[in-house]
Amino acid sequence: MSPLDALWHLLNFLAPAWVVAALVAMLVKLLWRQAIKSQTWRRLALWGGIGGSVGLIAALALFGRDGKMAGYGLMIVAVALPQWWLAFRPGR
């Protein structure tokens, strides 16, 4: 495998987390406009993407392979938690 192939594999592995994070950030900004006006879309998408990437890597380590539904479920939770924390953290 060439370095370019390895890069494409890595990017395709992480793409679902970043796309879901961007969509969730957009929906959060749309649905809770007043409650979340202090947070930017980019910040929500960035932290959601990082969380989703960690979730995918954890699922890969836990299950030994990519593409399991439980792994994608873990990714969804890992995308939602940082965005929830930024938007609705307790004591805010």
Side-chain angles (χ1 to χ4, degrees):
M1 179 184 308
S2 72
L4 185 59
D5 288 337
L7 176 67
W8 279 114
H9 278 285
L10 179 65
L11 292 176
N12 284 320
F13 173 69
L14 297 176
W18 289 90
V19 170
V20 168
L23 291 173
V24 169
M26 184 172 45
L27 286 173
V28 166
K29 287 294 281 183
L30 182 67
L31 294 174
W32 290 285
R33 190 171 302 152
Q34 290 299 322
I36 200 168
K37 64 183 171 185
S38 65
Q39 299 294 329
T40 65
W41 176 85
R42 282 186 187 182
R43 182 175 175 153
L44 291 170
L46 173 70
W47 283 104
I50 291 169
S53 297
V54 169
L56 283 176
I57 292 168
L60 182 63
L62 185 64
F63 300 123
R65 66 184 207 88
D66 179 34
K68 293 189 129 269
M69 290 305 291
Y72 289 124
L74 181 61
M75 177 197 72
I76 295 294
V77 170
V79 166
L81 282 176
Q83 293 186 357
W84 170 80
W85 180 257
L86 288 171
F88 307 110
R89 64 180 159 248
R92 187 173 160 209

